[in-house]
């Protein structure tokens, strides 16, 4: 799955997370109320998709303004480096910050109207992205769907698991592929579950954010000043 704008990726875990074919959602974040900002994210960042690797050489950036008021994703056109595609990440998701005793998480939910209509009426939940400050900047990890599903099946967590990758007649149906994991619980129950199991459920580093130099930060500010890039007309 292509994760351009991993943010999501962040627009996808966050929208992999929110609307992708594989995802883990929680009924509640591990702490409430959600914090609106973590100062550690404020600034301009080079985004490295560590887990999937980049399928081209187009640089990707994230800009988070003071107070986490704005989250901008920026991708450059490799054929025309002066051409930047800008996306407002908060237009597609609601972002907040939660924590357990020893870990910090971004908690993301679909904005109303962004989620596709689902005949199965799956409940809306939170995608949790664990992050930590490291010497190079920030590293982010997702809950692994398969490990989390196994924890539900083994009775270590309460929740639902849905795996679908075939049509009703048994034919492999790639467009139907879905691996959906939903973990039940209040905020206190989610916190307790993560404190007990997160070390075994988290996947490898997914994204790495590295602060850009002042000149690049100034250019990113110019790109984002005009707002998001309009969608191409059909």
């Amino acid at each position: 799955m292509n994760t351009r704008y991993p943010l999501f990726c962040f627009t996808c875990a966050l929208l992999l997370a929110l609307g992708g074919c594989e995802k883990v959602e929680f009924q509640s974040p591990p702490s409430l109320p959600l914090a609106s900002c973590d100062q550690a994210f404020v600034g301009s960042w080079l985004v490295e998709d560590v887990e999937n690797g980049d399928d081209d050489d187009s640089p990707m950036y994230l800009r988070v303004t003071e107070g986490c008021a704005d989250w901008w994703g920026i991708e450059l056109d490799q054929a025309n480096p002066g051409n930047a595609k800008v996306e407002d990440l908060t237009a597609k998701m609601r972002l907040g910050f939660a924590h357990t005793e020893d870990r910090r998480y971004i908690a993301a939910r679909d904005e109303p109207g962004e989620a596709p209509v689902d005949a199965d009426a799956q409940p809306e939940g939170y995608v949790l992205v664990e992050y930590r400050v490291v010497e190079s900047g920030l590293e982010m990890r997702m809950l692994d769907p398969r490990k989390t599903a196994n924890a539900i099946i083994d009775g270590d967590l309460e929740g639902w698991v849905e795996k679908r990758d075939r049509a009703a007649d048994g034919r492999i149906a790639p467009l139907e592929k879905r691996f959906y994991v939903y973990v039940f619980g209040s905020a206190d129950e989610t916190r307790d579950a993560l404190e007990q199991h997160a070390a075994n459920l988290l996947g490898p580093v997914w994204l790495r954010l590295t602060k850009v130099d002042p000149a690049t930060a100034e250019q990113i500010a110019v790109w984002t000043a005009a707002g998001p890039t309009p969608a191409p007309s059909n």
Side-chain angles (χ1 to χ4, degrees):
M1 183 178 190
N2 187 2
T3 58
R4 304 313 282 177
Y5 294 144
L7 259 303
F8 270 104
C9 323
F10 209 53
T11 303
C12 230
L14 292 182
L15 293 171
L16 160 76
L18 294 176
C21 55
E22 293 190 3
K23 61 180 176 179
V24 178
E25 289 189 350
F26 287 78
Q27 183 178 3
S28 307
S31 62
L32 286 173
L34 293 174
S36 61
C37 191
D38 184 335
Q39 189 66 23
F41 274 87
V42 174
S44 294
W45 307 86
L46 175 67
V47 179
E48 178 187 359
D49 186 352
V50 178
E51 183 178 20
N52 298 287
D54 289 332
D55 54 13
D56 60 34
D57 295 326
S58 302
M60 293 179 292
Y61 300 101
L62 170 71
R63 182 181 183 227
V64 181
T65 61
E66 194 63 39
C68 301
D70 301 295
W71 293 67
W72 298 106
I74 303 98
E75 183 174 9
L76 302 189
D77 183 347
Q78 185 63 18
N80 182 8
N83 185 17
K85 177 183 177 182
V86 177
E87 183 173 7
D88 178 3
L89 302 184
T90 60
K92 296 185 177 181
M93 67 193 76
R94 288 168 280 173
L95 303 175
F97 294 86
H99 63 88
T100 61
E101 185 175 352
D102 58 349
R103 298 179 190 274
R104 291 186 284 177
Y105 296 88
I106 293 172
R109 298 182 83 173
D110 277 316
E111 274 290 0
E114 287 295 334
V117 175
D118 193 330
D120 295 331
Q122 295 167 338
E124 183 181 9
Y126 293 85
V127 171
L128 301 179
V129 182
E130 191 255 10
Y131 65 94
R132 62 187 58 198
V133 178
V134 296
E135 185 176 356
S136 59
L138 291 167
E139 290 184 344
M140 306 166 71
R141 295 194 292 170
M142 302 290 296
L143 276 294
D144 185 281
R146 289 162 179 78
K147 292 179 180 179
T148 308
N150 285 335
I152 291 173
I153 292 169
D154 292 342
D156 295 328
L157 297 175
E158 298 293 328
W160 294 339
V161 176
E162 178 186 359
K163 182 178 184 295
R164 183 185 303 173
D165 59 4
R166 292 180 180 271
D169 60 4
R171 291 179 295 108
I172 295 176
L175 295 181
E176 294 296 324
K177 184 176 181 181
R178 177 164 51 183
F179 194 173
Y180 175 74
V181 181
Y182 187 86
V183 182
F184 300 148
S186 65
D188 288 345
E189 290 167 332
T190 299
R191 182 194 63 237
D192 292 344
L194 289 172
E195 288 179 353
Q196 184 174 357
H197 299 292
N200 296 324
L201 300 181
L202 286 166
V205 174
W206 165 53
L207 297 180
R208 182 175 292 119
L209 307 183
T210 305
K211 274 285 179 71
V212 302
D213 60 77
T216 303
E218 184 175 347
Q219 180 60 64
I220 289 172
V222 171
W223 284 326
T224 58
T229 304
S233 57
N234 293 331

